[in-house]
Amino acid sequence: MKNKLYKTSEFAALCGVTKHTLYHYDEIGLLCPKVVADNGYRFYTIEQYEKFLLISTFKMLGTPLGEIQSYFEKQDAEYFLHILKNKLIDVNKEHKRLEKAYHLLSDTISTINSLENVKMGKINIMDCEEEYFIATPALPPAECTDDSDVIKRLGEHLQYCNNLDYVTTTLGGDVIIYHDILQGNYSVSFYISKAYKKTSDSRLHIKPKGKYAVLYYNGSYNSINNVYRSLKEHCDKMGFVVAGNIYQEDFCSNQSSDGCVMKISMQIM
């Protein structure tokens, strides 16, 4: 097979292109036949398939044919290696972009499906797996002179998350920490956005695996503290003890007049 000569039609079929593509590559000197017989028939070798794959990869990355041709014409191994390394960086960036898009679409589909059967306001006791968030400390209430301070800090958090490959959505949420809950204080301690994997990011926050009281709330943010308080009181009556933080996550949904439903989870034992 290695020494076999392929007719233009055979090599085109091997590469998954038309004969006209190979004719064009030959005309511009990008990929010429290894052998041209006296009768004009063109023949290619299997070794040329690797070069074709490189050309196809460059094209996929949006590289013009003329530029690709110059890469091969240089006949400089060090220069060509430099080009390949730069293209690999481009491929890696595109891979991360598509991976982020995949998780965004997958998570959105999963959320919409899960909300179809949710009863708003009903508290469910659930065993939840470990989850990952990027968290930004909220300003202490004493440092907030007006709403603009809160908006500025939240904006900084969202901008930070938008630049990360592993955060799939700009929609976020809040964390109310364990010690504040015990004191009846439901002020936000962190703004969070979900990450689809564990990372070494300095802002990584891990929501522990464990038992949670979970409810979905469709209403105003102005009354959210009352919802937190009611959730804790309900768990107290059921004999559960607060074991960790409250996590509030925002979800897009056509179930809400303002387009957003909040998922509230409190760790218990």
Side-chain angles (χ1 to χ4, degrees):
M1 179 178 177
K2 191 170 183 178
N3 297 321
K4 175 180 171 61
L5 291 175
Y6 293 84
K7 297 178 183 178
T8 301
S9 58
E10 293 174 329
F11 193 69
L14 179 66
C15 296
V17 297
T18 67
K19 292 190 297 183
H20 296 292
T21 297
L22 296 181
Y23 291 153
H24 180 57
Y25 287 177
D26 185 15
E27 288 173 2
I28 65 175
L30 182 57
L31 181 61
C32 301
K34 190 71 173 181
V35 175
V36 179
D38 292 339
N39 59 7
Y41 285 1
R42 298 172 170 90
F43 295 92
Y44 296 82
T45 64
I46 192 65
E47 288 83 4
Q48 290 182 286
Y49 180 66
E50 183 176 357
K51 183 175 181 180
F52 172 82
L53 290 180
L54 277 174
I55 293 170
S56 297
T57 300
F58 285 140
K59 281 183 61 181
M60 182 179 63
L61 294 171
T63 310
L65 290 180
E67 188 176 331
I68 298 172
Q69 185 178 2
S70 70
Y71 296 158
F72 291 107
E73 288 178 346
K74 291 277 185 187
Q75 297 297 314
D76 184 332
E78 185 176 345
Y79 170 78
F80 192 57
L81 184 60
H82 172 73
I83 293 298
L84 292 177
K85 287 180 178 179
N86 284 339
K87 292 299 180 183
L88 184 60
I89 292 172
D90 292 339
V91 170
N92 188 46
K93 288 179 180 178
E94 181 67 5
H95 170 73
K96 289 181 178 180
R97 187 185 70 82
L98 291 175
E99 186 177 27
K100 182 173 182 176
Y102 170 82
H103 283 283
L104 173 59
L105 294 173
S106 179
D107 288 350
T108 302
I109 291 171
S110 177
T111 297
I112 292 173
N113 286 336
S114 66
L115 290 178
E116 290 295 322
N117 300 315
V118 163
K119 184 176 180 181
M120 295 295 162
K122 181 180 179 181
I123 299 173
N124 294 295
I125 307 302
M126 305 173 61
D127 291 317
C128 299
E129 295 298 319
E130 182 175 277
E131 293 183 82
Y132 309 114
F133 297 90
I134 298 301
T136 300
L139 288 173
E143 296 182 22
C144 297
T145 57
D146 53 40
D147 289 344
S148 64
D149 294 326
V150 176
I151 293 172
K152 183 178 180 180
R153 177 59 65 93
L154 180 58
E156 187 275 329
H157 167 75
L158 294 178
Q159 185 61 48
Y160 181 86
C161 291
N162 283 339
N163 293 324
L164 301 177
D165 297 318
Y166 38 84
V167 175
T168 57
T169 177
T170 54
L171 286 178
D174 305 322
V175 175
I176 293 85
I177 61 174
Y178 168 72
H179 295 294
D180 284 346
I181 299 170
L182 296 183
Q183 296 174 12
N185 175 16
Y186 296 98
S187 299
V188 175
S189 291
F190 294 94
Y191 301 121
I192 55 172
S193 291
K194 191 171 183 179
Y196 63 79
K197 63 181 179 182
K198 189 175 182 179
T199 75
S200 58
D201 195 295
S202 61
R203 299 194 190 188
L204 179 71
H205 177 94
I206 299 176
K207 177 184 175 184
K209 176 180 179 179
K211 190 179 297 293
Y212 287 81
V214 180
L215 69 85
Y216 288 84
Y217 168 69
N218 180 3
S220 170
Y221 280 101
N222 295 330
S223 58
I224 193 67
N225 282 4
N226 292 331
V227 178
Y228 297 152
R229 191 171 291 106
S230 296
L231 176 62
K232 182 181 181 302
E233 291 174 354
H234 179 85
C235 290
D236 290 342
K237 291 178 181 178
M238 293 179 65
F240 292 109
V241 177
V242 177
N245 303 330
I246 288 177
Y247 296 85
Q248 178 267 311
E249 301 172 65
D250 295 333
F251 294 106
C252 286
S253 171
N254 57 10
Q255 295 189 32
S256 172
S257 58
D258 60 6
C260 193
V261 167
M262 293 173 241
K263 178 185 177 183
I264 300 170
S265 308
M266 182 174 70
Q267 190 175 12
I268 57 175
M269 64 180 180

